[in-house]
Amino acid sequence: MDRLFFFELKVDSSGAIAERHGWPEQWVELQQATQRQKTPLDLTLTLFDAETFNQLFSSDQAPNKLLAECLELAANPYVNGLHLDFEIYGGASSKAITNYRLFLTQLSQQLHGLSPARGLSVFLPVQTESALYDAPSLSLMDWVVSQSYDSHYRSSKHAGPVAPLTGSDELTWEKAAADAFALGVPRNRLILTFPLYGYEWMVLDNKPRSPTQKMGVTTTFSEVDKELLPDVQISITQRVKQFGATQDPSSGSSYYQFQNQQGQHVQGWFEDWWSLSRKIDFVKAEKLGGITFFVLGYDKEQLLGYYLYQKKPKSLDDLIDRQ
C-alpha cells in the first residue's frame, strides 16, 4: 500500500487535540510495523461541526495552537504526514473559512520545510454549502482525498447505492472527480474513497431504491469481531450468502433484499468486487492518484486484496467462501 492513515485525532475549538485514541503510546507496534514495511504513516485530524470550526478559526490564538499541535505530531519520526478531515457541510462563516485557508498556507510551508519533509493532504467534502477549499488552497496539498461515498446514508429517504460510479445520483465517482478537476486538483493528486461498509434499511417494498421506513444501519463487508465493533454486526457477505445479490448496472453498485420475520421489506446496498473492478478501470482511465479504503479491516482484506493483487473471484460466493 502507498500509505496508511491513522484515524482519528479530534480537534477542539481551542486548537488542541482533544482525543488522541492512545496515540502515540498505545500504537508502538503499528509505528514499528509501518517502518519495517516502509509504509508511510499519516495522522488524520478530524473536525465535524460548524460551530467548533467557526470558534477555532475566528479566534486570534486557536489557529496558532493548532499549528503548534500539528508540528508536534509531525515531529514524530514515525509520522510521514498529516491528513485534515474537516467535514463542514454548512454553517461555516466566511471569516473562519478565510482564516482556515491562511492556516493551510502556514501548515503546508512548515511541514514541507521539515527535514525530511512531511506531506499534507485534505478530505474534500462534496455537496456542501460551505466550501472550505478553493483552487489556491488545494494547490498546496500533496494529494486530495475526495468524498466519493455516502451518496445514500442512514437517514436517506430512499435506499440506494453508497458509492455509485455513474448515474443520476447527485453524488457519483464521476461527479466527485469532475468537481475536484474544476477546483484545479491535478489528476495524479486526486484520490477517491471506496467504502468497505454499506447501509441496510427497512423499506416500503421490494423495488430497487424503495422509500425507507426508518433510520438505516451500517453494515460491514465481512463479519467483524464483536469486541472490535460491537455496534455494527451485520455482515454483507452473510446477507448475500443467505439472500443473494443484484448488480445495478446504472450505478455500478450492488444490493440485496429480503423480508424479515415480521414481513417487513429490507434492502441493503454495498460495494463488492464487481463495483470495485469498474472503479479501478475508472481510476486508470482518468489517470487518478489512486483509491483509499475506509475502514481497513471491514472486509478482512477480501476487496483490498483484489485491488492489490487483481485476483478476480468468479463470483461473490467465492469471496464469501474464503472467509
Side-chain angles (χ1 to χ4, degrees), residues 198-269:
Y199 294 113
E200 179 179 290
W201 299 268
M202 298 272 189
V203 293
L204 179 63
D205 52 38
N206 63 355
K207 296 179 180 179
R209 299 173 179 259
S210 177
T212 56
Q213 302 298 288
K214 60 186 298 187
M215 180 81 73
V217 297
T218 304
T219 60
T220 56
F221 189 80
S222 296
E223 186 175 356
V224 179
D225 192 321
K226 290 183 179 180
E227 293 184 1
L228 297 176
L229 207 64
D231 298 329
V232 185
Q233 283 300 303
I234 296 177
S235 162
I236 292 166
T237 51
Q238 291 301 319
R239 287 291 204 224
V240 172
K241 188 172 184 179
Q242 186 174 2
F243 302 111
T246 301
Q247 296 167 345
D248 177 40
S250 63
S251 67
S253 297
S254 299
Y255 66 94
Y256 58 81
Q257 54 187 348
F258 62 93
Q259 283 183 274
N260 62 20
Q261 293 180 345
Q262 291 73 41
Q264 298 167 312
H265 292 278
V266 178
Q267 194 169 115
W269 285 76

Side-chain angles (χ1 to χ4, degrees), residues 127-181:
Q127 297 179 311
T128 173
E129 298 175 359
S130 297
L132 300 189
Y133 304 100
D134 57 6
S137 58
L138 290 176
S139 70
L140 302 170
M141 301 304 136
D142 296 288
W143 47 91
V144 174
V145 180
S146 174
Q147 179 206 347
S148 48
Y149 60 90
D150 277 1
S151 177
H152 292 79
Y153 41 91
R154 291 181 60 199
S155 58
S156 289
K157 294 182 179 180
H158 290 80
V162 181
L165 173 62
T166 59
S168 59
D169 291 296
E170 291 186 18
L171 170 58
T172 67
W173 274 44
E174 287 184 339
K175 293 173 183 176
D179 288 347
F181 297 153

Side-chain angles (χ1 to χ4, degrees), residues 19-183:
E19 173 59 71
R20 294 174 179 253
H21 290 107
W23 179 268
E25 295 83 6
Q26 297 178 22
W27 297 92
V28 174
E29 287 187 48
L30 174 67
Q31 296 171 66
Q32 294 174 344
T34 54
Q35 189 173 68
R36 284 196 307 271
Q37 298 294 332
K38 298 182 179 180
T39 301
L41 176 65
D42 293 355
L43 301 181
T44 302
L45 282 68
T46 62
L47 195 163
F48 295 148
D49 69 278
E51 181 179 357
T52 301
F53 181 85
N54 288 336
Q55 290 177 0
L56 196 168
F57 291 105
S58 295
S59 165
D60 293 330
Q61 299 301 324
N64 294 329
K65 170 67 173 175
L66 180 57
L67 181 62
E69 293 269 13
C70 288
L71 296 177
E72 181 182 351
L73 292 169
N76 184 319
Y78 292 101
V79 172
N80 293 87
L82 300 180
H83 176 70
L84 303 183
D85 184 0
F86 289 9
E87 301 185 32
I88 312 301
Y89 290 90
S93 70
S94 58
K95 177 181 179 180
I97 292 174
T98 298
N99 289 340
Y100 176 56
R101 293 173 181 173
L102 292 174
F103 166 80
L104 291 174
T105 301
Q106 293 177 306
L107 180 59
S108 173
Q109 291 174 346
Q110 296 272 13
L111 291 177
H112 292 150
L114 295 175
S115 182
R118 298 329 194 252
L120 179 61
S121 62
V122 293
F123 175 87
L124 181 62
V126 299
Q127 297 179 311
T128 173
E129 298 175 359
S130 297
L132 300 189
Y133 304 100
D134 57 6
S137 58
L138 290 176
S139 70
L140 302 170
M141 301 304 136
D142 296 288
W143 47 91
V144 174
V145 180
S146 174
Q147 179 206 347
S148 48
Y149 60 90
D150 277 1
S151 177
H152 292 79
Y153 41 91
R154 291 181 60 199
S155 58
S156 289
K157 294 182 179 180
H158 290 80
V162 181
L165 173 62
T166 59
S168 59
D169 291 296
E170 291 186 18
L171 170 58
T172 67
W173 274 44
E174 287 184 339
K175 293 173 183 176
D179 288 347
F181 297 153
L183 287 169

